[in-house]
């Protein structure tokens, strides 16, 4: 399993942008590269849901609500996955979590970073 450290959350006005980063500081590149990396979010009173993920081949999956506003990317040499979020809406307000999974039993989560979209 990976130790994941997130950064980049904060308060932004509607229509603004944020860039979230997640790093696996203790992993070496050859360990990090095979993982499917994802971003999930959990709003108050709601279940955690997938926002986007990127696998080892850099294939990406996005939730329908993203609607082309977010971009997920990874830099294996830096053991980092990034979520660029543009045109943020108030309904995007949530705690965003980084996830790393490999196979059926290897599943790690970061501590979460708060994103608040409000005027």
């Amino acid at each position: 399993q990976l130790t994941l450290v997130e950064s980049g959350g904060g308060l932004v006005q509607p229509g603004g942008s944020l860039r979230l980063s997640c790093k696996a500081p203790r992993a070496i590149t050859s360990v990090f590269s095979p993982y499917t990396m994802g971003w999930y979010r959990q709003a108050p009173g709601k279940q955690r849901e997938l926002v986007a993920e990127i696998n080892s081949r850099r294939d990406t999956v996005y939730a329908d609500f993203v609607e082309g506003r977010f971009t997920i990317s990874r830099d294996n040499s830096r053991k980092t996955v990034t979520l660029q979020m543009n045109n943020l809406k108030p309904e995007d307000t949530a705690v965003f979590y980084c996830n790393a999974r490999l196979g059926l039993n290897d599943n790690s989560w970061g501590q979460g970073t708060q994103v608040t979209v409000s005027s």
Side-chain angles (χ1 to χ4, degrees):
Q1 294 192 331
L2 299 180
T3 298
L4 302 173
V5 179
E6 299 127 333
S7 60
L11 173 65
V12 64
Q13 292 186 343
S17 297
L18 282 175
R19 186 179 181 89
L20 305 183
S21 291
C22 171
K23 184 165 183 152
R26 299 179 185 174
I28 59 175
T29 298
S30 60
V31 170
F32 178 82
S33 300
Y35 278 80
T36 291
M37 303 298 298
W39 285 96
Y40 289 69
R41 71 183 189 185
Q42 187 167 17
K46 295 188 176 181
Q47 289 188 336
R48 192 173 298 189
E49 61 183 354
L50 175 69
V51 177
E53 68 176 19
I54 183 168
N55 66 13
S56 59
R57 298 183 304 272
R58 290 185 164 79
D59 301 319
T60 57
V61 173
Y62 293 94
D64 289 344
F65 60 76
V66 169
E67 299 176 323
R69 300 177 296 131
F70 301 171
T71 302
I72 190 170
S73 60
R74 66 189 296 161
D75 183 339
N76 290 336
S77 66
R78 297 186 178 186
K79 298 148 297 176
T80 299
V81 61
T82 300
L83 184 69
Q84 175 66 42
M85 303 188 293
N86 299 323
N87 192 22
L88 283 159
K89 305 175 182 179
E91 51 264 41
D92 293 318
T93 295
V95 178
F96 281 68
Y97 295 91
C98 181
N99 174 263
R101 60 183 176 85
L102 183 64
L104 296 177
N105 299 316
D106 192 337
N107 193 32
S108 305
W109 294 93
Q111 80 284 359
T113 185
Q114 177 71 46
V115 171
T116 302
V117 185
S118 175
S119 54

